[in-house]
Amino acid sequence: MRKPVVGVMGASAHDALTEAAASRLKALAESLGAALAKAECILVTGATTGLPDLVAQAFRKNGGFALGVSPAENRRDHLARYGLPEGGADVIIYTGFGYKGRNVINVRSSDIVLIVGGATGTLNEFTIAYDEGKIIGVLEGSGGVADHMREIIQFCNKPAVGCVLFDRDPVSLVRRCVDVFGS
């Protein structure tokens, strides 16, 4: 079986991730990154700041290979215009498509989409994944839209084509999502 490609979508520093929230969620992000590496996944992020970057840093520290998909046209644009980091990815693909275009590429490139915290950008990634029938894991207790996914799904009243799993434990969430992928 090939390695699952897991997209981590979540709160960037631009999503008003406070210092207190970042501190509280750092251990959660590190646990998630380590669990993904241990499960031998390939990581995809938006090559962004905040929670996805924290997960990617932990993932790479634990030997994982991370792909960053940037909204920028090139490295200079990535660093200067968007102010995004490079340290969370082994390779960065520069799309030039802006945030919304990048989101589509992130989701479509992923077998599993994990939702961690987040605001409108993460909600956009969730709706793409939901409509396209992806395996979605929602890390409850991570704040932002992740903590409102159950009510968003209920409010929209649209049956899922894929699978949406909820868990408060990052290790358990990764295991459950990878199990669904392998079945």
Side-chain angles (χ1 to χ4, degrees), residues 4-8 36 41-45 52 55-57 59 65-68 88:
V5 178
V6 179
V8 171
L36 289 166
C41 299
I42 295 171
L43 179 64
V44 173
T45 72
V55 171
Q57 296 284 349
F59 177 76
F65 179 85
L67 173 68

Side-chain angles (χ1 to χ4, degrees), residues 4-174:
V5 178
V6 179
V8 171
M9 318 299 168
S12 73
H14 302 294
D15 289 340
L17 188 61
T18 65
E19 235 179 271
S23 177
R24 179 181 73 81
L25 295 173
K26 186 175 183 188
L28 197 64
E30 288 174 354
S31 179
L32 182 59
L36 289 166
K38 184 177 181 184
E40 297 185 353
C41 299
I42 295 171
L43 179 64
V44 173
T45 72
T48 192
T49 59
L51 289 174
D53 187 51
L54 291 172
V55 171
Q57 296 284 349
F59 177 76
R60 292 183 71 216
K61 182 178 177 182
N62 284 279
F65 179 85
L67 173 68
V69 180
S70 173
E73 291 180 33
N74 53 45
R75 181 176 182 269
R76 184 179 64 245
D77 196 35
H78 179 83
L79 297 171
R81 177 177 173 205
Y82 287 93
L84 298 174
E86 295 180 296
D90 292 288
V91 174
I92 296 177
I93 295 173
Y94 302 104
T95 66
F97 294 155
Y99 288 115
K100 298 303 179 247
R102 181 223 33 208
N103 292 353
V104 172
I105 292 170
N106 280 350
V107 171
R108 287 191 173 159
S109 299
S110 300
D111 300 309
I112 299 166
V113 173
L114 299 181
I115 303 296
V116 184
T120 56
T122 306
L123 182 58
N124 175 249
E125 290 159 327
F126 169 78
T127 59
I128 296 165
Y130 192 87
D131 285 345
E132 295 195 0
K134 297 290 182 173
I135 300 166
I136 302 169
V138 180
L139 188 57
E140 293 182 303
S142 60
V145 296
D147 288 350
H148 297 279
M149 281 301 155
R150 289 182 190 270
E151 59 194 290
I152 290 168
I153 292 168
Q154 184 178 8
F155 177 79
C156 292
N157 196 26
K158 180 179 180 182
V161 178
C163 175
V164 183
L165 303 168
F166 295 88
D167 209 310
R168 296 184 86 72
D169 176 44
V171 175
S172 175
L173 182 63
V174 168

